[in-house]
Amino acid sequence: MTNIGNNIKKLRKVRGLSQQAFADLFNLSRGNISSYEELRAEPKIETIMIIANYFGIPLQSLIQENLSVNQILNFSDYFEPAIVTNSTKKLAGIPLLTREVMMNNTDLLKQIEGAPQLQLPIQSKHKFLAIEFSELIAAPLELEVKEQSILIFEGIEMEYLHLLHNNLGLFLSEEEVFVGKYEQNGEQISLILSSWKKSLFSLSDIRYYWKLYGKFEKV
């Protein structure tokens, strides 16, 4: 028995994807995903290879290991050119806020529109934002990210608010930026940096909140 079913379920939940949304990425049905996650069936090796390359996870790890959240959140350069070239997946342009931009500008929201873009193999209708991490950004120790790493954040969508709990996220407004962990208490959601710094989520300010999608750093 492999770990592919459990890993697919974990991948889907960490990425905030429903079974149908995950299935759509790989031309599968929701029933296929359900059967994999319930360990009633396993995908064909060709499908496993495509999933592994889409998420930048070594094939052997996806099949055999019990993947951690940290592994899933880390981008890598594992994509095999043959599989990527033959896929129908398009590259998404993601605005990048560099260290220099964050150091020299007070209204960072205005910089997103004209920012240089990263081209990454992401298929999603959601918004994404990339940030070059530095000491200028306050972040919890558990983030475990190196200087000059690129953090990829996904815009918050209303239908996925229930999946934010315990996920790392970004607060980015005209005057403030920090990384924290989402905590849900009843209907109240907060993005918490520390015991003395947090931001209470509200739908009216949803554009200020992002969820960590992945990170890219030199090995």
Side-chain angles (χ1 to χ4, degrees):
M1 180 69 68
T2 71
N3 277 321
I4 185 65
N6 292 327
N7 285 333
I8 284 177
K9 186 175 183 178
K10 188 174 290 185
L11 275 167
R12 182 175 62 77
K13 289 189 173 182
V14 170
R15 298 302 188 189
L17 298 169
S18 66
Q19 288 186 335
Q20 187 61 60
F22 192 96
D24 290 343
L25 290 175
F26 307 107
N27 295 318
L28 299 169
S29 69
R30 191 200 63 78
N32 290 144
I33 305 305
S34 177
S35 65
Y36 302 156
E37 294 183 357
E38 294 173 6
L39 309 182
R40 293 184 283 108
E42 290 190 349
K44 296 178 180 180
I45 186 62
E46 295 85 356
T47 300
I48 298 175
M49 291 171 66
I50 294 173
I51 293 173
N53 278 270
Y54 183 89
F55 291 105
I57 297 171
L59 181 61
Q60 185 175 355
S61 298
L62 182 60
I63 295 174
Q64 297 181 353
E65 296 181 18
N66 183 15
L67 295 177
S68 67
V69 173
N70 192 52
Q71 283 175 291
I72 294 172
L73 289 175
N74 275 273
F75 283 135
S76 73
D77 58 357
Y78 181 74
F79 301 100
E80 295 180 10
I83 295 179
V84 174
T85 301
N86 292 333
S87 74
T88 58
K89 182 169 51 183
K90 296 181 179 180
L91 297 178
I94 299 176
L96 169 65
L97 296 182
T98 64
R99 174 191 176 96
E100 289 74 22
V101 168
M102 302 193 72
M103 183 182 298
N104 298 323
N105 291 277
T106 54
D107 189 347
L108 294 174
L109 293 180
K110 289 184 178 179
Q111 306 305 314
I112 294 177
E113 184 175 349
Q117 294 196 338
L118 293 178
Q119 300 295 320
L120 294 176
I122 296 176
Q123 287 185 333
S124 175
K125 295 180 181 180
H126 297 173
K127 297 184 299 179
F128 287 89
L129 175 66
I131 289 181
E132 181 182 3
F133 186 76
S134 72
E135 74 279 358
L136 299 172
I137 303 173
L141 293 176
E142 63 195 270
L143 183 59
E144 296 181 355
V145 63
K146 301 174 183 177
E147 285 282 315
Q148 298 183 315
S149 295
I150 304 299
L151 301 181
I152 313 296
F153 293 94
E154 182 178 14
I156 301 299
E157 301 288 336
M158 285 185 61
E159 60 267 34
Y160 297 129
L161 292 180
H162 63 289
L163 298 174
L164 287 179
H165 184 63
N166 278 336
N167 279 285
L168 292 169
L170 172 75
F171 178 82
L172 179 70
S173 68
E174 294 88 347
E175 301 175 349
E176 188 177 13
V177 56
F178 71 88
V179 175
K181 176 183 280 189
Y182 285 105
E183 183 177 285
Q184 185 170 6
N185 184 7
E187 296 183 355
Q188 180 175 293
I189 299 174
S190 299
L191 184 61
I192 300 174
L193 169 63
S194 64
S195 59
W196 51 268
K197 179 62 178 178
K198 67 179 180 179
S199 177
L200 182 62
F201 174 86
S202 67
L203 288 177
S204 61
D205 293 328
I206 195 170
R207 68 188 184 280
Y208 296 151
Y209 294 90
W210 305 75
K211 185 179 76 170
L212 184 64
Y213 183 87
K215 62 180 179 179
F216 178 85
E217 59 186 19
K218 292 182 179 180
V219 179

